[in-house]
Amino acid sequence: MGHGDESCSTQLIDGDGNFNVEGVAKFMEQVKLAECGLSYAVVSIMGPQSSGKSTLLNHLFHTNFREMDAYKGRSQTTKGIWMARCAGIEPTTVVMDLEGTDGRERGEDDTAFEKQSALFALAVSDIMMINMWCHDIGREQAANKPLLKTVFQVMMRLFSPRKTTLMFVIRDKSRTPLENLEPILREDIQKIWDSVPKPAAHRDTPLSEFFHVEVTALSSYEEKEEQFNEQVAQLRQRFYHSIAPGGLAGDRRGVVPASGFSFSAQQIWKIVKENKDLDLPAHKVMVATVRCEEIANEKYLKFASNEFWCQLEESVQSSPVLGFGKKISSLLNTYLSEYNSEAIYFDESVRSAKQKQLEEKLLQLVQPAFQAMLGHIRSETLDMFKEALEKALNNGEGFSVAAEDCTTKFMDQFDGRCKDIIIELANWDTSKVRDKLQRDIEAHVAAVRAAKLAELATLYEMKLNEALSGPIEALLDEAGDGTWPAIRKLLKRETEIAAFGLSNALKGFDMDEITREKMLAKLDTYARSLVESKAKEEAGRVLMRMKDRFATLFSRDSDSMPRVWTGKEDIRAITKTARSSSLKLLSVMAAVRLDEDRDSIESTLSSALVESGTSAGSKRSITMGDPLASSTWEEVSSSKILITPVQCKSLWRQFQTETEYSVTQAIAAQEANKRNNNWMPPPWAMVALVVLGFNEFMTLLRNPLWLGVIFVAYLLIKAMWVQLNISGEFRNGALPGLLSLSTKFLPTIMNLLKKLAEEGQAPQAANPQHNPVQVSKSMYNGVNSTTAFSSSASSEITSADDGVEHSSSSKQQ
């Protein structure tokens, strides 16, 4: 045939009953059957062996099935089932040529195969052509009788028939017109239908419910070839648009989509061979399940290997992807649309179920990327929140206002960014991640709030430390009756200032009153502990402070000038005053007195340590016992005690021991000074000098010149005495005094001569012209100047002596 190349003739089932899987797959690929959807038809032909079935098909559909050679006799030409495409017919029509019935080649086994092939053809065909001889119509023993019985019997094994069109093709019709042959044929068909045993459900079901019967007749191909070709051409026209409403197969049911034809046919043949009843609805669902699953897996693999998806999946691991939701949704919709377009003709429930599974698998594949995007958005939002909050606080905004504004702003920003990554199909809940972000923000706010509050508390503690440390140390150093009242006043003032500042600073934190009061109370406690700590620190140095105070009061007078022990000072009174003041310091440092509670520490110390030396004190001590033999003070709690009574007693003893030397040195210096100042001779010596020196005295009176010489010598000796500080030098002993005078003697003489020379030149340079009165005055002034010189020299020597005396007294101390 001229159209043989287009038909792609393929053996569907071989003579041994084996299904040709590879051949059918190749056939479907060649004719592009899978693309047809439901727009295709399947035609099959049955009939006795050598009845011209293949010849009819080749002429009718332009196929190239193998035909019987008439010269070789009647024999089995078609073995098994062959299939081909009908050339030039729309829609795509596939024709199956079945092995002839009642063939002698199969012998007794032909009934089994013919029933199997008939059932297979009924299950897959939309139109079944039954090729029969004209002379068999109306005959009881005709070849068509067993054939029709076979068709009707196997049809009962179909739970739900497909409303197959049965086209009876009467071959080699005689002169009897078709109008006369058709009623007889239909009567034969009805009789056979009625005689076939049926299940209870279909006992009264008419034939028209299962089959649409068509009858046509053709002239003999061998005798009337031209008429045969004309009639075949007319019959061919009926196969155009055969599946359209009103067409040969317009009322067919349960069509398998073209892409599932191969699998469906293979499974039907498998069930038929196993001699099982064929449940077409279940079979249809099974085919739909397998094919839809294959399509879904194919789309899933294509999506998973899609280059754009792979790049997006890789990118989202390190950073957020802009427009993530739209990109993923578009990609998902593309592959789901492809699935729908390929699976649209399969059973709707199966298709929907498999589509749902495909969606779930694709979303499961996409979900890690979605979660990564959520994680990026959450972490970025949290970082931006931290930065914005810090900036707002640095700009001076109140903490609560800044925290609330930033929280609202960035939670809204998170919600907005979540909308960008939402995948329509998924409808995934982002509330858990949102809650996590909310908790992270709240935790950060709490941490910053705690840090800021701690910073504020530390700031005002530092201010208190600055304001209290120095003044408290100074007050404790000057310990007296007003020390603790002054400390209390200072503490109250500075604590109130700090509390006022902290209270104002806390207004921006939207803090409840209880927490605020706790912080202020904590600040007050810190201030008190600071004072107590400072007092404790100073109490550790109390002995040194006592010694310093004693040294200051004992060695300096009321004008803070160093004392010179000349012998007139009352050392006992000075010592008592200095020790009393030191005892005052000890009593002040013995306990912390931040509350206005009165105590008897000072009186106890005074009576036990200062007055214990008197007889009355001794008697009281004996009768009442030692008041300092205790580790606590009366009326003072143990937490406020800095120095216990026992420690006070020990410190006082150590203090007395270490200050005893200063008192002894002062007494020694006073006695030495007394000895050095008592250089005048005894009275009897003075009387002896007057009696024995009377003559020399009279001589002086008689000669006044000697008196002048003696006077000048006296002035010089007096000046030398004062200048050299002879009494002071010999105070430390004879030998040190001589050594010191030997080094100072010559410089002192030179200094006196120089002074005399300067005083003598001064009147001459003043004015050379003098009246007698002025001259006499100048002479008088000369004597006075000499006297003045002696006075000035004497005063300088005295001042120098005071310096030496001070240094020597210091050494003695």
Side-chain angles (χ1 to χ4, degrees), residues 160-190:
S160 178
R162 304 178 68 236
K163 192 66 181 288
T164 307
T165 299
L166 290 180
M167 177 175 278
F168 290 88
V169 181
I170 302 171
R171 302 292 298 277
D172 297 352
K173 72 171 182 174
S174 60
R175 293 178 182 179
T176 305
L178 179 63
E179 290 79 7
N180 296 334
L181 292 173
E182 185 174 350
I184 300 171
L185 179 60
R186 288 185 179 270
E187 185 180 349
D188 288 345
I189 293 169
Q190 189 64 45

Side-chain angles (χ1 to χ4, degrees), residues 385-635:
F385 169 83
K386 291 178 180 178
E387 187 177 343
L389 179 61
E390 184 179 0
K391 187 176 180 181
L393 294 176
N394 290 338
N395 289 339
E397 290 187 31
F399 183 87
S400 296
V401 174
E404 186 176 351
D405 291 347
C406 288
T407 301
T408 303
K409 175 183 176 182
F410 286 98
M411 289 306 297
D412 291 344
Q413 183 175 320
F414 174 81
D415 293 338
R417 293 187 68 183
C418 280
K419 291 179 182 177
D420 182 60
I421 67 168
I422 290 298
I423 298 170
E424 297 173 1
L425 288 172
N427 195 24
W428 283 321
D429 185 16
T430 59
S431 61
K432 289 184 179 179
V433 179
R434 190 182 192 279
D435 292 343
K436 176 71 167 63
L437 175 62
Q438 183 83 42
R439 289 194 301 272
D440 289 344
I441 285 176
E442 288 173 358
H444 180 70
V445 168
V448 173
R449 187 174 188 271
K452 291 294 181 184
L453 289 175
E455 189 179 324
L456 276 177
T458 304
L459 174 65
Y460 282 95
E461 284 175 2
M462 287 175 63
K463 287 185 177 181
L464 273 175
N465 199 350
E466 240 178 82
L468 293 175
S469 294
I472 288 173
E473 189 173 342
L475 287 169
L476 291 173
D477 189 36
E478 297 294 331
D481 291 332
T483 297
W484 283 109
I487 289 175
R488 286 196 293 270
K489 186 177 179 182
L490 173 69
L491 174 64
K492 183 180 179 183
R493 185 181 72 248
E494 295 300 335
T495 303
E496 286 177 353
I497 293 171
F500 180 76
L502 179 60
S503 184
N504 284 338
L506 292 178
K507 288 180 180 177
F509 285 86
D510 194 20
M511 187 180 291
D512 60 276
E513 191 63 27
I514 296 174
T515 309
R516 179 176 163 279
E517 290 298 330
K518 282 182 180 179
M519 284 198 70
L520 294 176
K522 187 178 178 183
L523 186 67
D524 182 68
T525 303
Y526 174 80
R528 292 176 69 91
S529 65
L530 179 65
V531 174
E532 291 173 1
S533 175
K534 206 67 185 172
K536 191 173 183 179
E537 184 182 332
E538 291 299 316
R541 298 196 290 262
V542 68
L543 181 60
M544 183 182 70
R545 297 286 191 189
M546 289 168 66
K547 289 192 295 183
D548 288 346
R549 176 169 289 194
F550 179 84
T552 302
L553 295 176
F554 186 76
S555 62
R556 292 182 178 271
D557 58 18
S558 58
D559 296 328
S560 297
M561 297 298 291
R563 290 186 190 275
V564 179
W565 302 105
T566 61
K568 298 176 182 178
E569 295 82 11
D570 187 354
I571 293 179
R572 180 179 296 276
I574 293 170
T575 301
K576 186 175 181 180
T577 303
R579 284 182 175 174
S580 296
S581 182
S582 297
L583 186 69
K584 169 69 77 174
L585 189 148
L586 180 62
S587 66
V588 169
M589 297 303 303
V592 175
R593 300 175 178 86
L594 291 180
D595 300 316
E596 296 184 6
D597 298 333
R598 295 187 176 276
D599 58 68
S600 57
I601 295 177
E602 185 177 357
S603 61
T604 302
L605 287 176
S606 180
S607 63
L609 300 177
V610 177
E611 297 175 6
S612 60
T614 63
S615 59
S618 299
K619 289 177 183 178
R620 185 168 58 253
S621 175
I622 293 168
T623 56
M624 299 179 62
D626 189 355
L628 299 182
S630 174
S631 59
T632 58
W633 296 104
E634 292 182 7
E635 302 175 356

